[in-house]
Amino acid sequence: MSEKQGVLAGFKTFLMRGNVVELAVAVVIGAAFTKVVDSVVKGFINPLVGALGSKDLSEYRLCLQGDCQVDPVTGDVTSGIPISWGAVVSAALTFLITAAVVYFIMVLPMNRYKARQAAAAPAPAPAGPTEVDLLKEIRDTLVAQRNGSADGTAGKVTAPRSGEADVEDVAVEKKQ
């Protein structure tokens, strides 16, 4: 039973990460937005390009073998091997328009927002001395007090301690 709770807790942690939620929202919005862009390409851009030519952009095709015979009722190719390059161009236009809109409406404003937040955030405080530095300072002060020096410079390494000696401490000890 505890393993099941561990798995559920891990799954909850995974879901609560910001990236997973953002990704889910992006997929849903992207799917809905792709339908809108696809409708614009099929309903406006394809006929516009077709007006410059002789037909709708998605109807342009090449035949590899002979002439492509098209059934006028169904629009299907009855003979020949067609390459529908117009559909590929239409899909590429759909992709480019979708990518541009997502970038200019979602990504660019979010990047600007994050940059403003980073600029408004207070600068991190300078790092203070580490625990080891503070302990060395206390040790040196105590040794100096014991040896009678007020400034803490005399007798730096005479205090017993455990662990490895610093290179600086060993050099001072050899001089004495």
Side-chain angles (χ1 to χ4, degrees):
M1 190 68 167
S2 66
E3 182 180 327
K4 211 177 217 185
Q5 289 175 348
V7 170
L8 291 177
F11 184 66
K12 179 182 175 187
T13 303
F14 172 74
L15 288 179
M16 289 301 143
R17 288 185 193 162
N19 295 344
V20 174
V21 174
E22 290 172 4
L23 181 62
V25 169
V27 167
V28 170
I29 289 174
F33 189 71
T34 299
K35 291 179 183 180
V36 172
V37 171
D38 195 38
S39 297
V40 169
V41 169
K42 286 182 181 177
F44 180 70
I45 294 177
N46 285 355
L48 185 64
V49 172
L52 301 174
S54 60
K55 53 188 163 189
D56 189 16
L57 181 61
S58 60
E59 297 297 320
Y60 283 98
R61 58 174 72 104
L62 292 173
C63 281
L64 292 178
Q65 292 181 342
D67 290 336
C68 287
Q69 301 297 323
V70 179
D71 184 8
V73 176
T74 62
D76 294 335
V77 177
T78 58
S79 67
I81 300 173
I83 297 178
S84 300
W85 63 271
V88 174
V89 171
S90 177
L93 286 172
T94 302
F95 172 76
L96 288 175
I97 292 171
T98 304
V101 169
V102 166
Y103 178 76
F104 289 112
I105 291 181
M106 295 178 181
V107 174
L108 193 61
M110 182 58 78
N111 288 343
R112 287 182 181 164
Y113 172 75
K114 286 181 180 179
R116 274 191 234 128
Q117 292 297 327
T130 64
E131 239 181 82
V132 173
D133 293 336
L134 291 174
L135 290 172
K136 283 182 180 180
E137 186 178 331
I138 292 170
R139 177 203 64 203
D140 294 342
T141 304
L142 290 172
V143 168
Q145 286 176 354
R146 186 173 55 184
N147 290 335
S149 172
D151 62 355
T153 57
K156 184 175 183 181
V157 282
T158 58
R161 61 175 180 211
S162 62
E164 296 182 21
D166 291 327
V167 174
E168 179 183 324
D169 293 343
V170 171
V172 171
E173 193 173 8
K174 284 183 180 180
K175 286 183 184 178
Q176 291 178 352

